[in-house]
Every structure is written in structure tokens, then in C-alpha cells.
């Protein structure tokens, strides 16, 4: 079965410090990978997605960047954090699952990283 | 117009009642639809997926899809206090899921 690992679970960083969040997926190959951010009490905002190694699509211009150095590894980075970067960061993967009724696309989330920028 | 719209709620129902959550979407070409449940402070959990018009039942949950009217709904029968959470509707676009902002459901004992 597929699993997604995301760490750390919580992070407190000062303004202006760098950031690196890592996400890895097991049990699947060539997944689509996603980074979302959820501000307190708000919906999910798609930040980046990747359909393959080195292929990154940015949804929202911002202080963050993403990289995919390996097939099942997705990294979210920042050179200098802003107060507005605080939030709940979620990595997700999507792929196809084959069952009795055919092959369907599904998407699952990691446990998330709660980032507080002070 | 937002791509996926949901009423933010909260939707309050008594224990044992049916909770009805609704979602509309703008892309007529969408083919895959999902409902996620998110407890406070946790990541979203996939609870239902639906791909064809009509109803799909899984235990106490029923997802309903009407592509002509561009809406998808989730019914929760015999609601329990443990069902209290935010329910996110998601629609698969090109290479990515588009999420609604979620409906908060409160089930009172």
C-alpha cells in the first residue's frame, strides 16, 4: 500500500530564517505530488504540484519554492520566512488505484507540518 | 465564480439525524469528485469518491452526483458526535484537485 511521510510535525521559526519541509512517498512510482497550505480556519491553497522529477508548477507567486529531486521526494523551501508564511502545510500524492470497478484517480494527504513564524 | 463552492456553515444537526452537505462546481468537463473529512488540526481524510451520475453508498455515507446540474452532495445518516468535522468537496481538474473551502458540521449529542 502507498504511504506518505511528511516531517517535521511542528516547526517554530523566526522571521527571516530559511525553511525546508520534506515529503516522501512509498509504494508507488511516478506519483503526482502536491504542496498545500491551510491558514487557520481557512481552506486549502494549492502552492505547487509536480508531475515528474524536476517538473514543478507554481500556483501562487510567493516567498516559497519547491523541488523534486527524486521520483518520490518533494521539498518545500524558503530562503527567508515571512510572518504570513505561518500555516498548516500539507503534502499530498495522487495516482491511480485499480479496483473491481476499474481504475480511478485518488489523492491522499500526509499528516502535515504546522509552521509558526514568529 | 469560484471553481468549487461550499457553504461554510456551521451545519448543526442532532445526533441520529441526517446531515446533508452540498457542493457545486464550475468545470463541466470534470469527471472525478471527492469528499474529504478534516478534523481540527489534522490533515484531510478521503471518505468518498464518485465518478458517475447517481448515488454511491458506503456505510452511513452516500455521495450523490448530478453532472447536468454540476453539484455533488454528501449525506451522512445516523449522524454521530464523532462526525463533527469540516467536510471538503474536491473536483479533479487537469492534473490537480480543486478544493472547496469546506463545510463545518456540528453534531450535538
Amino acid at each position: 500500500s502507498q504511504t506518505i511521510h511528511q516531517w517535521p510535525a511542528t516547526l517554530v521559526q523566526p522571521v527571516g530564517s530559511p525553511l525546508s519541509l520534506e515529503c516522501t512517498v512509498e509504494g508507488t512510482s511516478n506519483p503526482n505530488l502536491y504542496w498545500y497550505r491551510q491558514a487557520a480556519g481557512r481552506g486549502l491553497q494549492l502552492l505547487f504540484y509536480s508531475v515528474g522529477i524536476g517538473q514543478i508548477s507554481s500556483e501562487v507567486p510567493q516567498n516559497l519554492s519547491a523541488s523534486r529531486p527524486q521520483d518520490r521526494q518533494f521539498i518545500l523551501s524558503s530562503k527567508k520566512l515571512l510572518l504570513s508564511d505561518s500555516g498548516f502545510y500539507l503534502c499530498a500524492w495522487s495516482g491511480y488505484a485499480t479496483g473491481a470497478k476499474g481504475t480511478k484517480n485518488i489523492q491522499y494527504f500526509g499528516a502535515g507540518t504546522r509552521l509558526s513564524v514568529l | 465564480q469560484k471553481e468549487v463552492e461550499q457553504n461554510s456553515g456551521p451545519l448543526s444537526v442532532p445526533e441520529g439525524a441526517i446531515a446533508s452537505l452540498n457542493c457545486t462546481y464550475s468545470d463541466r468537463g470534470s469527471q472525478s469528485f471527492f469528499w474529504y473529512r478534516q478534523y481540527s488540526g489534522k490533515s484531510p481524510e478521503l471518505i468518498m469518491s464518485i465518478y458517475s451520475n447517481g448515488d454511491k453508498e458506503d456505510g452511513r455515507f452516500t455521495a450523490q452526483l448530478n453532472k447536468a446540474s454540476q453539484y455533488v452532495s454528501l449525506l451522512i445518516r445516523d449522524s454521530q458526535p464523532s462526525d463533527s468535522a469540516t467536510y471538503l468537496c474536491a473536483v479533479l481538474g487537469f492534473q490537480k484537485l480543486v478544493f472547496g473551502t469546506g463545510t463545518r458540521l456540528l453534531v450535538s449529542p
Side-chain angles (χ1 to χ4, degrees):
Chain A
S1 64
Q2 303 87 359
T3 56
I4 180 168
H5 302 281
Q6 189 180 343
W7 67 92
T10 59
L11 191 59
V12 180
Q13 292 285 97
V15 170
S17 64
L19 173 74
S20 180
L21 300 180
E22 188 167 342
C23 169
T24 59
V25 181
E26 295 179 356
T28 185
S29 58
N30 197 31
N32 286 356
L33 297 173
Y34 307 83
W35 279 110
Y36 292 85
R37 178 171 61 200
Q38 189 174 39
R42 306 292 293 274
L44 288 167
Q45 179 187 30
L46 179 62
L47 302 175
F48 301 94
Y49 69 95
S50 171
V51 299
I53 296 174
Q55 300 179 62
I56 308 295
S57 296
S58 174
E59 288 292 298
V60 182
Q62 60 210 320
N63 186 42
L64 303 169
S65 62
S67 62
R68 185 169 177 175
Q70 300 181 42
D71 181 46
R72 289 172 284 180
Q73 183 185 30
F74 204 23
I75 298 172
L76 182 69
S77 303
S78 174
K79 291 182 179 179
K80 289 185 178 181
L81 285 169
L82 306 173
L83 287 173
S84 57
D85 291 324
S86 294
F88 191 37
Y89 287 81
L90 290 156
C91 180
W93 78 270
S94 73
Y96 289 88
T98 300
K101 296 186 177 181
T103 300
K104 304 295 183 183
N105 185 279
I106 54 174
Q107 181 166 330
Y108 292 99
F109 287 85
T113 295
R114 191 160 303 281
L115 172 65
S116 298
V117 182
L118 305 177
Chain B
Q1 181 188 8
K2 292 183 180 178
E3 294 180 76
V4 179
E5 295 205 53
Q6 296 180 256
N7 188 316
S8 61
L11 172 66
S12 295
V13 300
E15 184 175 358
I18 296 175
S20 177
L21 305 163
N22 299 312
C23 170
T24 59
Y25 60 93
S26 60
D27 183 358
R28 283 194 170 274
S30 299
Q31 298 294 321
S32 303
F33 307 87
F34 306 86
W35 283 100
Y36 288 81
R37 177 176 62 199
Q38 186 176 26
Y39 292 112
S40 180
K42 301 296 185 182
S43 64
E45 171 193 12
L46 179 65
I47 56 172
M48 288 288 287
S49 58
I50 187 166
Y51 308 94
S52 306
N53 276 330
D55 295 359
K56 178 182 178 182
E57 186 174 318
D58 183 1
R60 295 187 296 112
F61 299 99
T62 299
Q64 299 175 318
L65 175 61
N66 184 322
K67 291 184 178 180
S69 300
Q70 294 176 249
Y71 84 79
V72 57
S73 62
L74 179 70
L75 300 178
I76 306 175
R77 291 181 299 282
D78 188 23
S79 295
Q80 301 297 308
S82 59
D83 294 326
S84 298
T86 296
Y87 289 80
L88 301 168
C89 172
V91 177
L92 182 64
F94 178 65
Q95 294 182 333
K96 60 185 180 182
L97 275 181
V98 180
F99 284 86
T101 54
T103 298
R104 187 177 171 209
L105 173 66
L106 298 175
V107 181
S108 54

